[in-house]
């Protein structure tokens, strides 16, 4: 594990901790209005206050849980979907493969944001879990595509053919012979989906499609934007939440680099000097 | 007269030493065979000579003398002009050696563009046709892309490309491994005819001892990054002196000459991470003595044409 | 040619699927909000308009789903997407027609710049891997993790509110009459700078990272080693051998990234109140303008499909092995 991956995991652990204890350590009720209106950061309000005197720091702390829960739930659902569809397509082949591949390609090409906006606005209630489900429905296709390709190349390896020849059942073959070899691909797909889901959820909250009664970083930005925090120079209202998103995204991406380098050794071997001219270092 | 002289060449992969203080001389017009199991360092040696070893390879010591230059001390730009002009390489696995998105013509013309900038375009094209003709490919294949050619044809294109500038030295790294036996022979025989006609020297690397014995003038056998025996091909084949060389020759059937019983070498090929002390071959050697575990034998001449790195030989000659 | 034919068939199927989903969604999900909206506008809607909204959202209980589906297609093919509630009583197709050029212009230009810039930087970063250029990786990762809209907010705060060098909103000055004059074109460019830079900065990181990783992977291929051995110039090896191959996955992946880019552009338009599709969508979301939202989805999807087809043509030109599928 290299420094990049370790840094990513550490950041991720930090956000995970906040997600668990955030609501307890928050100094104020995030929705409670106070007497200090639109104050810049101070000892009493680390991230300043909103137009109605709410504490931005508490909002960010409390909102972490919603972000991570939606990200994880959507990530898990989408990964399960991508495994089921991708691995079956690759393993079954033939017409089933054609059909499932076409399905994932359609989902890949159709732009997710407008579709989700429509679905979410038709839904009577758009709470966190429902949003997570909707996101996962649009996020599985990339993973399915990668897994299908990997499964295809695994399917004809000797040990799978051997297991097949001994009359193993298909599902046992998939679970015990194929899946363990896809771990890195699945893990990388999962992390990628979580990034996607987190960004999408925050976006939906920001434009006001998802329920704004649940606190998350996107909701903070929604209120900042609808109260014209920008033109009033209240930078503290939208900077912390945005930085949190960027750092969470970076942490997840760094973890994914680690997985990629594990799966693709060419990315890992650190090269020095120019390619094509082996260095001569006489000792 | 020698064209290439390697002296004391050592190569590391990170902390692992892949080539150990190797001396090697390539005579003008000869075919020098490099033999050894995978991991013996034969390809590493060949690529290090021209500084083409990909990362994490690093050259730690030695000189490679060619026409009065030390290739290892040249500036990149000098080395670049020397490459292909003087030393060309026929790579292993023709499948991937050609750029999949460029036509055969483009890849041949690239060589002239880089090294013969003043040559007129028509002359370059004519030369490309001539080269393809030389290796037995119809010149109208110039516009083909690699995926449109068979494996044998791709290998011939590689050979044509290697000969484009009439180099002094051609390094052939497992040039026929991906091909069937009949094609292997055809291509190698053609290569030898071309060598006779054009007069270049060849470093021929393969794990296929029978091909090596048949096509080389001289053979150097490598084990665990060292040359353990070097001798004319025929005398090596008739009577190898290093126990590893004996084993290696015994593990392949002879294509020509008297039949011999087949033997293998016990144990597994050298692992760079766990190189035994003393002579690296001693754990697999039937004749190992106490001295073999303690000290590494150096390559030393045992007669006019042969050098061996083995304590048995040194004892025979009374050396310690 | 077979390749393009296959792709075209696939895009037609996708278009059909998107249109059908658009048709089914309001019928599967509770339709009360639409009914409420129509009721609100009842007095001001003509009979035809009400009828087309009924067709659009399946509120007409007397016809079968199949009949509804057919008349839905009939409306679509005549360009009838219903009336917008937000811009009442302008037809949705007209609203989209007015905003589409703005989005196409903004997105077209930024995508070309971003792809070109990202590819060039990525090629260099991959080629010079193991040097100081590697420091680019964590930086670009951070930038690619920043949501487009937040970067837009920051850009406005810094360059429009704090320093007031660029306008904070709109596609042209409020009082100016749109037309084909040099003055208007200049104003449009001036207004587009901040949104465009925001989109480029957010999206370029992805191209850089992807291209860098492909360069690193391709640099280990035999044909790159051969190019070095041939004594070609560094430039020639980098461009014609390494980058030329590394760009192929980038182009075939272009299609897949387009969804992200579109989403990002829509958001930036929302933040900058840029008169394109994204801002229209934003207004539609706030007003629960269902016909408008559905129209946006359809138009955006069709545009993405066309762009995909163009990317496929590009791939075809770049890779002689057309039998190798782009997917």
């Amino acid at each position: 594990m290299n420094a990049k991956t370790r840094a990513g995991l550490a950041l991720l652990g930090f956000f995970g901790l906040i997600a668990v204890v955030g609501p307890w350590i928050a100094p104020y009720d995030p929705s409670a209005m106070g007497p200090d209106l639109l104050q810049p950061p101070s000892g009493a309000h680390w991230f300043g206050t909103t137009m109605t005197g709410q504490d931005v720091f508490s909002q960010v702390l409390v909102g972490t849980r919603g972000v991570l829960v939606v990200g994880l739930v959507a990530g898990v659902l989408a990964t399960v979907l991508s495994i089921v569809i991708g691995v079956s397509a690759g393993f079954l082949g033939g017409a089933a493969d054609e059909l499932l591949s076409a399905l994932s390609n359609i989902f890949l090409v159709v732009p997710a944001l407008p579709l989700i906006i429509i679905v979410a606005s038709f839904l009577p209630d758009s709470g966190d879990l429902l949003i997570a489900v909707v996101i996962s429905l649009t996020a599985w296709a990339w993973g399915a595509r990668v897994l299908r390709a990997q499964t295809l190349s695994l399917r004809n390896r000797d040990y799978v053919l051997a297991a097949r020849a001994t009359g193993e059942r298909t599902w046992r073959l998939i679970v015990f012979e194929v899946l363990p070899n896809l771990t890195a691909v699945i893990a990388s797909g999962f992390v990628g989906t979580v990034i996607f889901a987190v960004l999408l959820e925050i976006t939906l909250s920001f434009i006001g499609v998802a329920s704004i009664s649940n606190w998350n970083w996107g909701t903070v930005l929604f209120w900042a934007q609808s109260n014209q925090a920008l033109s009033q120079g209240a930078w503290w209202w939208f900077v912390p939440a945005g930085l949190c998103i960027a750092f969470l995204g970076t942490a997840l991406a760094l973890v994914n680099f680690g997985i990629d380098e594990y799966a693709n050794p060419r990315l890992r071997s650190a090269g020095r000097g120019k390619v094509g001219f082996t260095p001569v270092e006489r000792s | 007269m020698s064209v290439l002289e390697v002296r004391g060449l050592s190569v590391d992969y990170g902390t692992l030493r892949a080539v150990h203080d190797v001396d090697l001389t390539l005579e003008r017009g000869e075919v020098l065979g490099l033999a050894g199991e995978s991991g013996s360092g034969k390809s590493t040696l060949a690529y290090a000579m021209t500084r083409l070893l990909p990362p994490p390879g690093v050259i730690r010591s030695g000189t490679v003398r060619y026409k009065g230059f030390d290739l290892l001390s040249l500036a990149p730009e000098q080395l670049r002009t020397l490459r292909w002009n003087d030393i060309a390489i026929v790579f292993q696995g023709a499948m991937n050696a050609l750029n999949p998105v460029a036509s055969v013509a483009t890849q041949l013309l690239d060589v002239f563009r880089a090294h013969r900038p003043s040559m007129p375009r028509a002359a370059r094209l004519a030369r490309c046709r001539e080269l393809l003709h030389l290796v037995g490919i119809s010149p109208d294949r110039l516009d083909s892309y690699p995926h449109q050619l068979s494996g044998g044809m791709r290998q011939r294109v590689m050979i044509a490309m290697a000969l484009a500038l009439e180099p002094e030295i051609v390094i052939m790294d497992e040039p026929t491994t991906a091909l069937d036996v009949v094609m292997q022979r055809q291509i190698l025989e053609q290569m030898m005819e071309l060598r006779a006609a054009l007069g270049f020297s060849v470093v021929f690397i393969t794990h296929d001892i029978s091909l090596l014995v048949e096509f080389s003038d001289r053979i150097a056998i490598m084990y665990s990054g060292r040359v353990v025996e070097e001798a004319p091909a025929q005398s090596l084949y008739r009577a190898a002196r290093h126990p590893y060389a004996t084993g290696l020759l015994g593990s392949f059937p002879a294509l020509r000459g008297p039949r011999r019983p087949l033997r293998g070498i016990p144990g597994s090929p050298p692992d760079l991470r766990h190189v035994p002390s003393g002579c690296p071959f001693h754990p697999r050697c039937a004749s190992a003595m106490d001295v073999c575990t303690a000290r590494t034998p150096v390559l030393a001449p045992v007669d006019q044409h042969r050098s061996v790195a083995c304590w048995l030989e040194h004892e025979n000659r009374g050396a310690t | 040619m077979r390749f393009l034919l296959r792709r075209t068939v696939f895009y037609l199927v996708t278009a059909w699927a998107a249109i059908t989903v658009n048709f089914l969604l309001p019928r599967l999900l509770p339709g009360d909000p639409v009914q409420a909206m129509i009721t609100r506008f009842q007095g001001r809607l003509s009979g035809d308009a009400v009828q087309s909204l009924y067709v659009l959202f399946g509120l007409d209980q007397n016809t079968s789903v199949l009949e509804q589906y057919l008349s839905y297609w009939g409306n679509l093919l005549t360009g009838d997407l219903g009336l917008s509630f937000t811009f009442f009583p302008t037809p949705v197709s007209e609203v989209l027609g007015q905003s589409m050029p703005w989005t196409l212009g903004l997105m077209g230009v930024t995508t070309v710049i971003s792809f070109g810039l990202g590819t060039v930087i990525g090629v260099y970063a991959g080629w010079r891997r193991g040097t100081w250029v590697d420091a680019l990786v964590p930086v670009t990762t951070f930038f690619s993790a920043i949501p487009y809209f937040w970067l837009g907010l920051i850009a406005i705060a810094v360059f429009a509110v704090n320093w007031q060098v660029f306008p904070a909103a709109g596609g042209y000055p409020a009082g100016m009459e749109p037309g084909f004059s040099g003055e208007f074109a200049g104003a449009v460019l001036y207004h587009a700078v901040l949104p465009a830079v925001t989109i480029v900065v957010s999206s370029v990181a992805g191209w850089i990272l992807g291209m860098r990783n492909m360069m690193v992977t391709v640099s280990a291929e035999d044909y790159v080693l051969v190019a070095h051995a041939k004594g070609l110039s560094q430039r020639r090896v980098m461009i014609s051998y390494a980058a030329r191959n590394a760009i192929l996955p980038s182009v075939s992946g272009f299609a897949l990234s387009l969804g992200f880019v579109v989403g990002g552009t829509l958001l930036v338009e929302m933040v900058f109140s840029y008169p394109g599709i994204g801002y229209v969508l934003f207004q539609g979301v706030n007003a629960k303008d269902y016909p408008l939202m559905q129209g946006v989805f359809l138009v955006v999807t069709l545009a993405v499909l066309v762009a995909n087809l163009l990317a496929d043509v590009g791939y075809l030109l770049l890779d002689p092995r057309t039998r190798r599928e782009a997917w």
Side-chain angles (χ1 to χ4, degrees), chain C residues 133-147:
Chain C
V133 188
D134 279 359
L136 222 74
V137 174
V139 176
T140 44
T141 307
F142 182 76
F143 269 97
S144 65
I146 295 176

CSV table of all heavy atoms in Angstrom, one decimal, chain C residues 133-147:
chain,number,residue,atom,x,y,z
C,133,VAL,N,6.3,15.6,-12.7
C,133,VAL,CA,5.0,15.7,-13.3
C,133,VAL,C,4.0,14.8,-12.5
C,133,VAL,O,2.8,15.1,-12.5
C,133,VAL,CB,5.0,15.3,-14.8
C,133,VAL,CG1,3.7,15.6,-15.4
C,133,VAL,CG2,6.1,16.1,-15.5
C,134,ASP,N,4.5,13.8,-11.8
C,134,ASP,CA,3.6,12.9,-11.1
C,134,ASP,C,2.8,13.7,-10.0
C,134,ASP,O,1.7,13.2,-9.6
C,134,ASP,CB,4.4,11.8,-10.4
C,134,ASP,CG,4.7,10.7,-11.3
C,134,ASP,OD1,4.2,10.8,-12.5
C,134,ASP,OD2,5.3,9.7,-11.0
C,135,ALA,N,3.3,14.8,-9.6
C,135,ALA,CA,2.6,15.6,-8.6
C,135,ALA,C,1.2,16.1,-9.1
C,135,ALA,O,0.3,16.5,-8.4
C,135,ALA,CB,3.4,16.8,-8.2
C,136,LEU,N,1.1,16.1,-10.4
C,136,LEU,CA,-0.2,16.5,-11.1
C,136,LEU,C,-1.3,15.5,-10.7
C,136,LEU,O,-2.5,16.0,-10.6
C,136,LEU,CB,0.0,16.4,-12.6
C,136,LEU,CG,-0.5,17.5,-13.4
C,136,LEU,CD1,0.3,18.7,-13.3
C,136,LEU,CD2,-0.6,17.1,-14.9
C,137,VAL,N,-1.0,14.3,-10.4
C,137,VAL,CA,-2.0,13.3,-10.1
C,137,VAL,C,-2.9,13.6,-8.9
C,137,VAL,O,-4.1,13.7,-9.1
C,137,VAL,CB,-1.4,11.9,-10.0
C,137,VAL,CG1,-2.5,10.9,-9.6
C,137,VAL,CG2,-0.8,11.5,-11.3
C,138,PRO,N,-2.3,13.8,-7.7
C,138,PRO,CA,-3.2,14.2,-6.6
C,138,PRO,C,-4.0,15.5,-6.8
C,138,PRO,O,-5.1,15.6,-6.5
C,138,PRO,CB,-2.3,14.3,-5.4
C,138,PRO,CG,-0.9,14.0,-5.9
C,138,PRO,CD,-0.9,13.7,-7.3
C,139,VAL,N,-3.3,16.5,-7.5
C,139,VAL,CA,-4.0,17.8,-7.7
C,139,VAL,C,-5.2,17.6,-8.6
C,139,VAL,O,-6.3,18.1,-8.3
C,139,VAL,CB,-3.0,18.8,-8.3
C,139,VAL,CG1,-3.7,20.1,-8.6
C,139,VAL,CG2,-1.8,19.0,-7.4
C,140,THR,N,-5.0,16.9,-9.7
C,140,THR,CA,-6.1,16.7,-10.7
C,140,THR,C,-7.2,15.9,-10.0
C,140,THR,O,-8.4,16.1,-10.3
C,140,THR,CB,-5.6,16.1,-12.0
C,140,THR,OG1,-4.8,15.0,-11.7
C,140,THR,CG2,-4.9,17.0,-12.8
C,141,THR,N,-6.8,14.9,-9.2
C,141,THR,CA,-7.8,14.1,-8.5
C,141,THR,C,-8.7,15.0,-7.7
C,141,THR,O,-9.9,14.8,-7.7
C,141,THR,CB,-7.1,13.1,-7.6
C,141,THR,OG1,-6.2,12.3,-8.4
C,141,THR,CG2,-8.1,12.1,-7.0
C,142,PHE,N,-8.1,15.9,-6.9
C,142,PHE,CA,-8.8,16.8,-6.1
C,142,PHE,C,-9.8,17.6,-6.9
C,142,PHE,O,-11.0,17.7,-6.6
C,142,PHE,CB,-7.9,17.7,-5.3
C,142,PHE,CG,-8.5,18.6,-4.4
C,142,PHE,CD1,-9.1,18.2,-3.2
C,142,PHE,CD2,-8.7,20.0,-4.7
C,142,PHE,CE1,-9.7,19.1,-2.3
C,142,PHE,CE2,-9.3,20.9,-3.8
C,142,PHE,CZ,-9.8,20.4,-2.6
C,143,PHE,N,-9.3,18.1,-8.1
C,143,PHE,CA,-10.2,18.9,-8.9
C,143,PHE,C,-11.3,18.1,-9.5
C,143,PHE,O,-12.4,18.6,-9.7
C,143,PHE,CB,-9.4,19.6,-10.0
C,143,PHE,CG,-8.9,21.0,-9.6
C,143,PHE,CD1,-7.6,21.2,-9.1
C,143,PHE,CD2,-9.7,22.1,-9.6
C,143,PHE,CE1,-7.2,22.4,-8.7
C,143,PHE,CE2,-9.3,23.3,-9.2
C,143,PHE,CZ,-8.0,23.5,-8.7
C,144,SER,N,-11.0,16.9,-9.9
C,144,SER,CA,-12.1,16.1,-10.5
C,144,SER,C,-13.1,15.7,-9.4
C,144,SER,O,-14.2,15.3,-9.8
C,144,SER,CB,-11.5,14.8,-11.1
C,144,SER,OG,-11.0,14.0,-10.2
C,145,ALA,N,-12.8,15.8,-8.1
C,145,ALA,CA,-13.8,15.5,-7.1
C,145,ALA,C,-14.7,16.7,-6.7
C,145,ALA,O,-15.6,16.5,-6.0
C,145,ALA,CB,-13.0,15.0,-5.8
C,146,ILE,N,-14.3,17.9,-7.2
C,146,ILE,CA,-15.1,19.0,-6.9
C,146,ILE,C,-16.3,19.1,-7.8
C,146,ILE,O,-16.2,18.9,-9.0
C,146,ILE,CB,-14.3,20.3,-7.1
C,146,ILE,CG1,-13.1,20.4,-6.2
C,146,ILE,CG2,-15.1,21.6,-6.9
C,146,ILE,CD1,-12.2,21.6,-6.4
C,147,PRO,N,-17.5,19.2,-7.2
C,147,PRO,CA,-18.7,19.3,-8.0
C,147,PRO,C,-18.6,20.5,-8.9
C,147,PRO,O,-18.2,21.6,-8.4
C,147,PRO,CB,-19.9,19.4,-7.0
C,147,PRO,CG,-19.3,19.1,-5.7
C,147,PRO,CD,-17.8,19.3,-5.8
